[in-house]
Amino acid sequence: MRIGVLCSGGDAPGMNPCLRSIVRTACTCNDEIYGIQHGYEGLLNEEFFLGENGSHVMGIRSVSGLSKLGGTILHSSRSKRFQTPEGIRAAADILRKHKFDALLTIGGNGTLSGAIDLGKVWEGQIIGLPGTIDNDLFGTDYTIGFSTAVHTAVEAVDKLRDTAGSHDLMFFVEVMGRHCGDIALSTAIASGAEIACIPEAEESPERIVARLRKIKEAGKASVMAIVAEGDESGGAFAMQKILKEAGNPFDSRAVVLGHVLRGGSPTPEDRILASELGNFAVSSLLLGETGKMVGKIHGELVLTPLEQCVADHKKADTEQLRLLHIVAS
Ligand code: F6P
């Protein structure tokens, strides 16, 4: 079987160990695996990864040392061309021209939606792998990259807390997550922050300020608020301004962590998940599966139709907000 693999959309720590697992599983099963560079855009440009001995077929050694490497050696992109019917048909023709039997796509919502569109005009097998820091896909408890992003955010918030403590300050720390507050909520709980502002649970400025007054009366000198990028307030700086106008009793600063969360060496959790899902994706192809995403739910490796995975953005568990408010009291 000739399999192509690509990473698309925002990169996520763990994409490289996932590729390592895919390539080595395919090699073990005597399948031919081709790395497609720069996601769907690279597919349209016929950009293939050049492995050992100038060959486009990836060998066992072409993925050496990838367990601990952040980013993706295949490079990624957000292709505008692939979002048009002509672009999708052109991609299908290129897959036919190079005699691919199957395609593995690693990425988030946009990547998997692209895979669905491609599946409508291309007869080969397609399996998606959840690679995004956002953890906003149905069909898996965790996406590849989420653990590392939270780990990086917690490290940053811990450092900011030192300064907040020294200067009796409040920090608004913005983390990525366009449609899902999972990174913000998990970071808040793990770092001992007092407040999480997430798109799933909007709170009025007056309510937040009332909570901040209580926090001050309770004797806390520093406060950390973790703001999801997708929060309706418009991010950390906007939230800082809104709460100041509403009477925030704390002097404050705002920090945007942004793309820092997408980088760095993947955590062991992400490396293990990436290895398991990469292996499972190739095995699923060999069993004839197509149009599905691999994931892990309650410890079990599962396949879910792509349409179900991207039907909506999975939401953060707002019950965890209750936990946050209790443990941060
Ligand atoms: O989807 C992953 C993600 O990192 C989101 O959290 C964020 O909103 C977006 O990508 C940023 O995309 P870009 O790097 O294209 O600005």
Side-chain angles (χ1 to χ4, degrees):
M1 182 181 258
R2 180 170 291 179
I3 306 169
V5 56
L6 59 80
C7 295
S8 166
D11 65 340
M15 281 180 163
N16 273 330
C18 186
L19 177 68
R20 173 176 174 267
S21 170
I22 287 170
V23 170
R24 292 198 169 157
T25 306
C27 290
T28 309
C29 301
N30 293 320
D31 289 302
E32 265 186 356
I33 182 107
Y34 284 63
I36 297 161
Q37 295 194 288
H38 295 110
Y40 293 121
E41 188 64 25
L43 173 59
L44 289 168
N45 294 332
E46 301 177 61
E47 278 183 68
F48 299 111
F49 184 86
L50 205 56
E52 310 108 279
N53 315 319
S55 166
H56 284 304
V57 181
M58 295 182 82
I60 293 252
R61 295 272 74 77
S62 64
V63 287
S64 293
L66 290 195
S67 307
K68 59 180 165 48
L69 210 64
T72 163
I73 62 161
L74 290 183
H75 300 258
S76 188
S77 71
R78 296 190 195 276
S79 174
K80 289 259 180 297
R81 265 201 294 166
F82 188 73
Q83 286 166 25
T84 64
E86 303 74 49
I88 292 164
R89 276 197 300 273
D93 284 341
I94 289 163
L95 289 167
R96 279 182 206 113
K97 174 178 161 192
H98 293 280
K99 301 193 170 16
F100 282 105
D101 302 295
L103 181 68
L104 295 173
T105 63
I106 312 172
N109 206 286
T111 305
L112 301 181
S113 301
I116 294 171
D117 293 338
L118 183 61
K120 290 178 185 154
V121 296
W122 182 55
E123 53 292 345
Q125 290 168 256
I126 306 180
I127 293 285
L129 295 99
T132 166
I133 63 168
D134 292 356
N135 205 31
D136 63 345
L137 295 172
F138 288 99
T140 191
D141 287 341
Y142 295 105
T143 54
I144 297 166
F146 173 71
S147 161
T148 310
V150 171
H151 190 269
T152 304
V154 168
E155 264 187 1
V157 175
D158 285 352
K159 290 187 170 114
L160 291 168
R161 175 72 91 167
D162 290 344
T163 296
S166 305
H167 292 267
D168 297 353
L169 279 177
M170 172 170 184
F171 269 95
F172 293 88
V173 186
E174 183 178 315
V175 294
M176 275 192 167
R178 231 183 323 206
H179 305 283
C180 176
D182 224 0
I183 297 177
L185 200 44
S186 298
T187 300
I189 292 171
S191 64
E194 284 74 14
I195 291 177
C197 304
I198 58 172
E200 294 86 345
E202 298 295 338
E203 256 190 302
S204 70
E206 292 71 31
R207 260 186 78 152
I208 303 176
V209 166
R211 195 132 38 81
L212 287 169
R213 292 215 172 97
K214 266 194 177 166
I215 288 171
K216 190 146 195 165
E217 279 160 23
K220 281 205 181 193
S222 68
V223 175
M224 306 306 286
I226 314 301
V227 185
E229 170 192 27
D231 183 77
E232 256 180 25
S233 62
F237 282 94
M239 182 60 103
Q240 181 190 28
K241 189 163 174 275
I242 291 167
L243 293 193
K244 189 173 181 187
E245 283 163 10
N248 183 0
F250 289 92
D251 187 13
S252 68
R253 301 286 184 275
V255 171
V256 177
L257 296 182
H259 289 79
V260 171
L261 302 193
R262 294 232 299 255
S265 182
T267 58
E269 288 78 9
D270 273 333
R271 297 181 198 193
I272 293 167
L273 181 65
S275 304
E276 289 178 325
L277 295 185
N279 175 268
F280 185 49
V282 176
S283 315
S284 301
L285 284 180
L286 299 182
L287 290 173
E289 293 286 357
T290 185
K292 295 185 179 155
M293 186 192 84
V294 291
K296 194 173 180 186
I297 298 180
H298 302 319
E300 296 274 329
L301 294 174
V302 293
L303 286 163
T304 306
L306 289 169
E307 287 80 0
Q308 281 179 31
C309 298
V310 300
D312 193 4
H313 291 273
K314 194 170 79 178
K315 305 289 176 222
D317 175 9
T318 47
E319 264 302 290
Q320 287 202 313
L321 269 178
R322 244 170 28 88
L323 169 68
L324 175 73
H325 293 154
I326 292 169
V327 295
S329 58

